[in-house]
Amino acid sequence: MGTVLVRHAHTLVTMDRDRREISDGGVFIRDNVIEQVGPTSELPSEADEIIDLSGHIVMPGLVNTHHHMYQTLTRAMAQDSNLFNWLKTLYPIWAGLTSEAVYISALTAMAELILSGCTTSSDHLYIYPNDARIDDEIRAAQEIGMRFHAARGSMSLGESQGGLPPDSVVEKEEDILRDSQRAIETYHDPSRHSMLRIVLAPCSPFSVTPDLMRESVKMAQEYDVLLHTHLAETLDEEQFCLETFGRRPVEYMQDLGWMGDHVWHAHSVFVNDEEVKLFAETDTGVAHCPNSNMRLGSGVAPILAYRAHGVRVGLGVDGSASNDGGHMLGEARQAMLLQRVQHGPEVFSARQALEMATLGGASVLRRDDIGALAPGMSADLIAIDLNRVEYAGALHDPVAATVLCAPLGVDFSMINGRVVVKEGQLTTIDLGPVIERHNQISRALINKEPIPQSK
């Protein structure tokens, strides 16, 4: 790749140990790794490529810790439902997913994320009807250039066995474990600056059996990969766990070996004080998904309590059918505002929200190579032109403006040393045909019609 000099940023947000914010800042990159960070005057003056970002704020790429990318195909459905009714409405539609549908929806979701400032994302794909495979998402990530944690999800507990999903969308547990092993052995790259890692992610307490949860723990330990699932998202889930397992969701997960530094849980809204302490004591991570929790009326996660106890917390946009969007800066803004509604305006600052969206997400995914602009870190960075109407009047504090003002898309993005957004446009794929095909597939799925052949 050679060397790249990014220079003359209006403000460079490092998120380094000192949380430096550098005026007229820049970054010198060699291949895919940051070599120097500082004022432009202190950086080398020559490089193979020089990128001038005068008038821009430059930040580390944002990290998304929970998503369901296939759900871009079914946005704005079950508009007034809670989680369980929403799922029951959508499961029969998702039963029509195909390999192409998963691939196109992943490309669409990743494009939306990247254009909103995200450079690293996990995705929780837990439904595999027809010929759909985790490989379809991985192909999309490699084409668009996103750093990706592919969570091989699963559902095995159908309605006939007391679970929530219909039997038509669950898999046999031996098939799940076999394909999970294949995905790890084929794709998982544990190296520093890795672009692709595999996660094991049985869906939820109400859609998989205790045996599958335990076997997933064994496989994760054998291959040294992370574990992820939904937990304590709603009161309905809490009631299900009490009636089915005789335990609250967190206690149930602890019994199964699903608390620890190799685990992170999505949502974790309905937890008591002792359970928050358990998260801290076991170093278990949390993906906070404020927009989705609000859209479904699920509740508000106790983020201040988690932070006070030192729990690792990152942001997740969650599924694009329960959030109906995938905007990472918008998620950071909502996280900040939601805590202020509950606890007052002084409890959660714009900079704390940005930290959760960068370093917080990196810690949840167990990455020490992303989330900050510092020597030795991956060359993942984003930039936004400050000369925008939405920021007018806020340039006295451009860092806070990125969260307090209306959420904007990025004008520039680099992932792993490669420019993926330039002047607000993706450089790696032609997005127009992807959106057109995505809408064709979406219409067919929602109308329960055969997906038309692509041209």
Side-chain angles (χ1 to χ4, degrees):
M1 291 181 180
T3 57
V4 179
L5 173 63
V6 175
R7 65 183 185 184
H8 294 311
H10 178 283
T11 304
L12 184 81
V13 182
T14 65
M15 286 294 168
D16 64 9
R17 289 182 180 179
D18 298 324
R19 302 296 190 269
R20 290 183 301 159
E21 297 170 4
I22 303 171
S23 298
D24 191 24
V27 179
F28 185 79
I29 297 160
R30 190 177 302 276
D31 297 327
N32 61 333
V33 179
I34 296 171
E35 197 168 278
Q36 296 182 55
V37 177
T40 298
S41 61
E42 297 178 9
L43 298 177
S45 58
E46 300 294 331
D48 296 327
E49 182 180 5
I50 296 176
I51 300 170
D52 192 302
L53 289 177
S54 299
H56 290 67
I57 184 169
V58 175
M59 300 185 289
L62 309 181
V63 181
N64 178 36
T65 62
H66 186 65
H67 206 341
H68 306 294
M69 293 181 178
Y70 74 89
Q71 292 179 13
T72 56
L73 293 161
T74 54
R75 296 199 226 231
M77 300 286 293
Q79 297 173 13
D80 305 312
S81 296
N82 64 14
L83 175 66
F84 276 20
N85 290 331
W86 175 86
L87 284 169
K88 288 178 179 179
T89 301
L90 287 164
Y91 280 140
I93 298 173
W94 296 336
L97 286 170
T98 64
S99 172
E100 186 196 13
V102 171
Y103 163 70
I104 289 291
S105 61
L107 268 184
T108 302
M110 289 174 188
E112 185 176 18
L113 284 170
I114 289 171
L115 290 169
S116 79
C118 182
T119 55
T120 298
S121 183
S122 179
D123 189 65
H124 190 184
L125 180 63
Y126 56 78
I127 186 167
Y128 294 87
N130 306 308
D131 58 347
R133 300 200 303 167
I134 194 73
D135 309 58
D136 305 320
E137 288 196 316
I138 291 170
R139 173 187 165 202
Q142 291 172 334
E143 287 183 11
I144 203 168
M146 171 163 267
R147 201 179 296 277
F148 192 48
H149 286 229
R152 205 301 181 183
S154 54
M155 295 192 295
S156 65
L157 190 69
E159 284 180 313
S160 64
Q161 297 175 283
L164 189 72
D167 290 354
S168 60
V169 295
V170 302
E171 298 175 272
K172 295 180 180 178
E173 296 193 353
E174 58 267 29
D175 295 339
I176 292 168
L177 293 168
R178 186 183 307 112
D179 192 60
S180 296
Q181 181 178 0
R182 178 195 66 83
I184 296 169
E185 293 178 349
T186 303
Y187 294 112
H188 184 66
D189 178 4
S191 66
R192 202 157 190 273
H193 310 298
S194 165
M195 289 292 286
L196 179 59
R197 292 182 182 173
I198 302 298
V199 178
L200 298 183
C203 184
S204 64
F206 50 81
S207 60
V208 297
T209 67
D211 283 345
L212 181 60
M213 299 299 285
R214 294 189 187 96
E215 290 301 315
S216 297
V217 170
K218 291 179 184 177
M219 185 177 292
Q221 292 172 339
E222 179 183 355
Y223 286 96
D224 193 22
V225 300
L226 299 185
L227 291 163
H228 181 52
T229 192
H230 299 90
L231 183 66
E233 182 176 359
T234 67
L235 288 173
D236 286 339
E237 177 191 331
E238 182 177 300
Q239 188 63 32
F240 177 92
C241 288
L242 287 169
E243 292 177 357
T244 307
F245 309 117
R247 294 170 179 81
R248 289 171 53 81
V250 173
E251 183 184 7
Y252 172 59
M253 282 295 165
Q254 184 183 22
D255 290 347
L256 296 175
W258 272 75
M259 302 296 287
D261 63 3
H262 59 300
V263 180
W264 88 97
H265 295 297
H267 306 295
S268 302
V269 174
F270 292 96
V271 294
N272 59 33
D273 291 344
E274 291 304 311
E275 290 164 346
V276 170
K277 292 176 184 176
L278 179 64
F279 271 84
E281 291 165 359
T282 57
D283 197 19
T284 303
V286 171
H288 177 41
C289 307
N291 275 306
S292 175
N293 293 156
M294 294 169 71
R295 202 277 216 188
L296 294 172
S298 299
V300 183
I303 298 306
L304 294 187
Y306 283 134
R307 288 173 60 87
H309 284 85
V311 176
R312 293 178 292 118
V313 182
L315 288 176
V317 300
D318 200 11
S320 293
S322 64
N323 181 330
D324 306 295
H327 198 296
M328 276 298 293
L329 275 176
E331 208 68 40
R333 184 174 192 264
Q334 202 71 281
M336 176 192 70
L337 296 178
L338 197 52
Q339 294 305 305
R340 290 181 174 210
V341 166
Q342 283 197 310
H343 305 289
E346 74 287 349
V347 299
F348 201 45
S349 71
R351 283 171 172 80
Q352 287 173 321
L354 280 178
E355 185 173 303
M356 187 180 291
T358 52
L359 290 172
S363 70
V364 165
L365 297 183
R366 282 304 187 192
R367 302 288 300 234
D368 64 357
D369 53 355
I370 60 174
L373 302 181
M377 302 296 280
S378 300
D380 293 4
L381 57 91
I382 59 175
I384 302 174
D385 188 346
L386 292 170
N387 298 306
R388 306 273 285 268
V389 66
E390 293 87 352
Y391 291 163
L395 297 190
H396 58 92
D397 190 348
V399 180
T402 61
V403 177
L404 287 166
C405 297
L408 297 179
V410 298
D411 295 282
F412 176 88
S413 178
M414 174 183 285
I415 304 176
N416 205 43
R418 178 190 186 190
V419 176
V420 296
V421 176
K422 187 175 182 180
E423 296 179 353
Q425 301 297 315
L426 284 166
T427 64
T428 51
I429 65 168
D430 184 358
L431 189 53
V434 173
I435 294 172
E436 181 180 2
R437 181 59 178 160
H438 183 276
N439 284 329
Q440 290 176 349
I441 295 170
S442 173
R443 281 192 294 270
L445 283 174
I446 291 170
N447 294 329
K448 297 183 181 178
E449 299 170 350
I451 295 173
Q453 293 293 315
S454 58
K455 297 178 182 178

